[in-house]
Short mmCIF file of all heavy atoms in Angstrom, two decimals:
data_model
loop_
_atom_site.label_atom_id
_atom_site.label_comp_id
_atom_site.label_asym_id
_atom_site.label_seq_id
_atom_site.Cartn_x
_atom_site.Cartn_y
_atom_site.Cartn_z
N GLU A 550 115.11 73.75 88.51
CA GLU A 550 116.43 73.53 88.08
C GLU A 550 116.82 74.12 86.77
O GLU A 550 117.89 74.70 86.50
CB GLU A 550 116.73 72.02 88.12
CG GLU A 550 118.19 71.67 87.82
CD GLU A 550 118.43 70.15 87.88
OE1 GLU A 550 117.46 69.40 88.09
OE2 GLU A 550 119.61 69.70 87.59
N GLU A 551 115.84 74.01 85.79
CA GLU A 551 116.01 74.56 84.48
C GLU A 551 116.18 76.11 84.54
O GLU A 551 116.99 76.73 83.93
CB GLU A 551 114.86 74.18 83.58
CG GLU A 551 114.83 72.76 83.09
CD GLU A 551 113.61 72.43 82.28
OE1 GLU A 551 112.56 72.62 82.81
OE2 GLU A 551 113.83 71.93 81.13
N PHE A 552 115.34 76.69 85.40
CA PHE A 552 115.44 78.16 85.58
C PHE A 552 116.76 78.52 86.22
O PHE A 552 117.44 79.49 85.80
CB PHE A 552 114.30 78.59 86.47
CG PHE A 552 114.30 80.15 86.71
CD1 PHE A 552 113.67 80.98 85.74
CD2 PHE A 552 114.90 80.70 87.80
CE1 PHE A 552 113.77 82.34 85.91
CE2 PHE A 552 114.94 82.07 88.00
CZ PHE A 552 114.37 82.91 87.05
N ALA A 553 117.17 77.75 87.23
CA ALA A 553 118.45 78.09 87.92
C ALA A 553 119.63 77.99 87.01
O ALA A 553 120.61 78.71 87.15
CB ALA A 553 118.61 77.09 89.11
N ASN A 554 119.56 77.16 85.99
CA ASN A 554 120.65 77.04 85.01
C ASN A 554 120.57 77.97 83.82
O ASN A 554 121.35 77.90 82.92
CB ASN A 554 120.76 75.55 84.49
CG ASN A 554 121.10 74.66 85.58
OD1 ASN A 554 121.90 74.97 86.47
ND2 ASN A 554 120.61 73.37 85.53
N SER A 555 119.50 78.79 83.80
CA SER A 555 119.30 79.74 82.70
C SER A 555 119.86 81.10 82.99
O SER A 555 120.14 81.46 84.16
CB SER A 555 117.82 79.88 82.33
OG SER A 555 117.19 80.67 83.37
N SER A 556 119.94 81.94 81.98
CA SER A 556 120.48 83.30 82.17
C SER A 556 119.47 84.14 82.99
O SER A 556 119.89 85.12 83.61
CB SER A 556 120.58 83.96 80.74
OG SER A 556 119.38 84.08 80.09
N LEU A 557 118.23 83.79 83.12
CA LEU A 557 117.22 84.49 83.92
C LEU A 557 117.54 84.50 85.42
O LEU A 557 117.14 85.34 86.23
CB LEU A 557 115.82 83.98 83.70
CG LEU A 557 115.20 84.16 82.34
CD1 LEU A 557 113.85 83.52 82.27
CD2 LEU A 557 115.17 85.60 81.95
N CYS A 558 118.38 83.53 85.83
CA CYS A 558 118.72 83.38 87.24
C CYS A 558 120.08 83.99 87.59
O CYS A 558 120.51 83.93 88.83
CB CYS A 558 118.79 81.86 87.63
SG CYS A 558 118.51 81.56 89.39
N GLU A 559 120.71 84.78 86.69
CA GLU A 559 121.94 85.35 87.00
C GLU A 559 121.73 86.54 88.00
O GLU A 559 120.82 87.31 87.90
CB GLU A 559 122.52 85.93 85.73
CG GLU A 559 123.04 84.94 84.76
CD GLU A 559 123.61 85.53 83.54
OE1 GLU A 559 123.71 86.75 83.43
OE2 GLU A 559 124.02 84.71 82.63
N LYS A 560 122.57 86.54 89.04
CA LYS A 560 122.64 87.61 90.05
C LYS A 560 121.35 87.56 90.95
O LYS A 560 121.19 88.62 91.59
CB LYS A 560 122.85 88.93 89.39
CG LYS A 560 124.16 89.09 88.61
CD LYS A 560 124.30 90.46 88.11
CE LYS A 560 125.63 90.62 87.33
NZ LYS A 560 125.92 91.95 86.75
N ARG A 561 120.61 86.53 90.99
CA ARG A 561 119.50 86.42 91.85
C ARG A 561 119.44 85.04 92.47
O ARG A 561 120.12 84.11 91.91
CB ARG A 561 118.17 86.73 91.14
CG ARG A 561 117.80 85.79 90.02
CD ARG A 561 116.27 85.57 89.85
NE ARG A 561 115.77 84.61 90.73
CZ ARG A 561 114.50 84.32 90.89
NH1 ARG A 561 113.57 84.87 90.07
NH2 ARG A 561 114.07 83.38 91.76
N PRO A 562 118.80 84.85 93.62
CA PRO A 562 118.81 83.52 94.20
C PRO A 562 118.06 82.50 93.32
O PRO A 562 117.13 82.81 92.62
CB PRO A 562 118.01 83.74 95.53
CG PRO A 562 118.10 85.25 95.74
CD PRO A 562 118.13 85.83 94.46
N SER A 563 118.52 81.21 93.43
CA SER A 563 117.87 80.16 92.78
C SER A 563 116.48 80.04 93.31
O SER A 563 116.20 80.33 94.47
CB SER A 563 118.61 78.88 92.90
OG SER A 563 119.89 78.91 92.23
N PRO A 564 115.48 79.56 92.46
CA PRO A 564 114.08 79.46 93.01
C PRO A 564 113.93 78.47 94.08
O PRO A 564 114.14 77.20 93.87
CB PRO A 564 113.31 79.12 91.70
CG PRO A 564 114.34 78.48 90.83
CD PRO A 564 115.62 79.09 91.11
N LYS A 565 113.55 78.91 95.25
CA LYS A 565 113.38 77.98 96.37
C LYS A 565 111.85 78.00 96.68
O LYS A 565 111.14 79.04 96.74
CB LYS A 565 114.03 78.52 97.62
CG LYS A 565 114.11 77.62 98.82
CD LYS A 565 114.92 78.23 99.91
CE LYS A 565 115.00 77.32 101.10
NZ LYS A 565 115.77 77.92 102.27
N TYR A 566 111.25 76.84 96.90
CA TYR A 566 109.74 76.57 97.12
C TYR A 566 108.99 76.96 95.82
O TYR A 566 107.79 77.33 95.92
CB TYR A 566 109.25 77.42 98.26
CG TYR A 566 110.00 77.18 99.57
CD1 TYR A 566 110.60 78.18 100.27
CD2 TYR A 566 110.16 75.88 100.13
CE1 TYR A 566 111.29 77.95 101.43
CE2 TYR A 566 110.79 75.66 101.31
CZ TYR A 566 111.34 76.67 101.90
OH TYR A 566 112.10 76.50 103.12
N TYR A 567 109.62 76.90 94.66
CA TYR A 567 108.95 77.14 93.43
C TYR A 567 107.92 75.99 93.09
O TYR A 567 108.25 74.76 93.29
CB TYR A 567 110.00 77.26 92.28
CG TYR A 567 109.42 77.15 90.85
CD1 TYR A 567 108.57 78.14 90.33
CD2 TYR A 567 109.79 76.10 90.06
CE1 TYR A 567 108.11 78.01 89.08
CE2 TYR A 567 109.29 75.89 88.77
CZ TYR A 567 108.48 76.90 88.25
OH TYR A 567 108.01 76.83 86.98
N ASP A 568 106.73 76.30 92.73
CA ASP A 568 105.70 75.32 92.37
C ASP A 568 105.34 75.48 90.95
O ASP A 568 104.69 76.44 90.54
CB ASP A 568 104.47 75.51 93.31
CG ASP A 568 103.35 74.54 93.08
OD1 ASP A 568 103.57 73.60 92.20
OD2 ASP A 568 102.35 74.55 93.81
N ALA A 569 105.75 74.54 90.09
CA ALA A 569 105.46 74.64 88.65
C ALA A 569 104.01 74.45 88.28
O ALA A 569 103.59 74.82 87.18
CB ALA A 569 106.34 73.61 87.97
N SER A 570 103.23 73.86 89.18
CA SER A 570 101.79 73.66 88.86
C SER A 570 100.86 74.60 89.53
O SER A 570 99.67 74.42 89.63
CB SER A 570 101.45 72.23 89.28
OG SER A 570 101.66 72.01 90.70
N ILE A 571 101.41 75.73 89.93
CA ILE A 571 100.61 76.71 90.77
C ILE A 571 99.45 77.32 90.01
O ILE A 571 98.40 77.65 90.51
CB ILE A 571 101.50 77.75 91.37
CG1 ILE A 571 100.77 78.64 92.43
CG2 ILE A 571 102.08 78.71 90.31
CD1 ILE A 571 101.63 79.49 93.23
N ILE A 572 99.63 77.54 88.69
CA ILE A 572 98.61 78.17 87.89
C ILE A 572 97.30 77.26 87.91
O ILE A 572 96.20 77.69 88.14
CB ILE A 572 99.01 78.51 86.43
CG1 ILE A 572 100.07 79.48 86.52
CG2 ILE A 572 97.83 78.95 85.64
CD1 ILE A 572 100.61 79.87 85.05
N GLY A 573 97.51 76.01 87.59
CA GLY A 573 96.42 75.06 87.57
C GLY A 573 95.73 74.94 88.89
O GLY A 573 94.50 74.83 89.02
N LYS A 574 96.53 75.00 89.99
CA LYS A 574 95.96 74.90 91.31
C LYS A 574 95.04 76.02 91.67
O LYS A 574 93.92 75.93 92.15
CB LYS A 574 97.04 74.79 92.35
CG LYS A 574 97.84 73.47 92.37
CD LYS A 574 98.94 73.45 93.36
CE LYS A 574 99.72 72.14 93.29
NZ LYS A 574 100.87 72.17 94.21
N TYR A 575 95.50 77.30 91.31
CA TYR A 575 94.73 78.47 91.54
C TYR A 575 93.48 78.52 90.71
O TYR A 575 92.45 79.00 91.11
CB TYR A 575 95.53 79.70 91.39
CG TYR A 575 96.22 80.20 92.67
CD1 TYR A 575 97.55 79.74 92.93
CD2 TYR A 575 95.65 81.07 93.49
CE1 TYR A 575 98.16 80.19 94.12
CE2 TYR A 575 96.20 81.54 94.67
CZ TYR A 575 97.51 81.07 94.95
OH TYR A 575 98.14 81.50 96.13
N LEU A 576 93.62 78.14 89.45
CA LEU A 576 92.47 78.13 88.51
C LEU A 576 91.58 76.88 88.58
O LEU A 576 90.71 76.80 87.70
CB LEU A 576 93.02 78.38 87.07
CG LEU A 576 93.22 79.78 86.65
CD1 LEU A 576 91.94 80.63 86.65
CD2 LEU A 576 94.26 80.51 87.48
N LYS A 577 91.86 76.03 89.50
CA LYS A 577 91.02 74.86 89.70
C LYS A 577 90.98 73.99 88.46
O LYS A 577 89.91 73.45 88.10
CB LYS A 577 89.65 75.23 90.28
CG LYS A 577 89.72 75.92 91.57
CD LYS A 577 88.33 76.35 92.07
CE LYS A 577 88.42 76.98 93.40
NZ LYS A 577 87.04 77.43 93.94
N ARG A 578 92.07 73.95 87.73
CA ARG A 578 92.20 73.15 86.53
C ARG A 578 91.21 73.55 85.39
O ARG A 578 91.03 72.78 84.44
CB ARG A 578 92.04 71.67 86.79
CG ARG A 578 92.95 71.12 87.90
CD ARG A 578 94.38 71.29 87.53
NE ARG A 578 95.28 71.01 88.71
CZ ARG A 578 96.59 71.26 88.73
NH1 ARG A 578 97.17 71.72 87.63
NH2 ARG A 578 97.30 70.99 89.78
#
Side-chain angles (χ1 to χ4, degrees):
E550 183 179 2
E551 287 177 303
F552 180 85
N554 292 326
S555 75
S556 60
L557 294 177
C558 200
E559 290 180 4
K560 300 182 179 180
R561 60 150 279 178
S563 296
K565 188 177 180 182
Y566 304 124
Y567 164 68
D568 183 358
S570 61
I571 192 171
I572 295 179
K574 290 177 181 177
Y575 269 90
L576 273 298
K577 299 179 180 179
R578 305 300 169 189

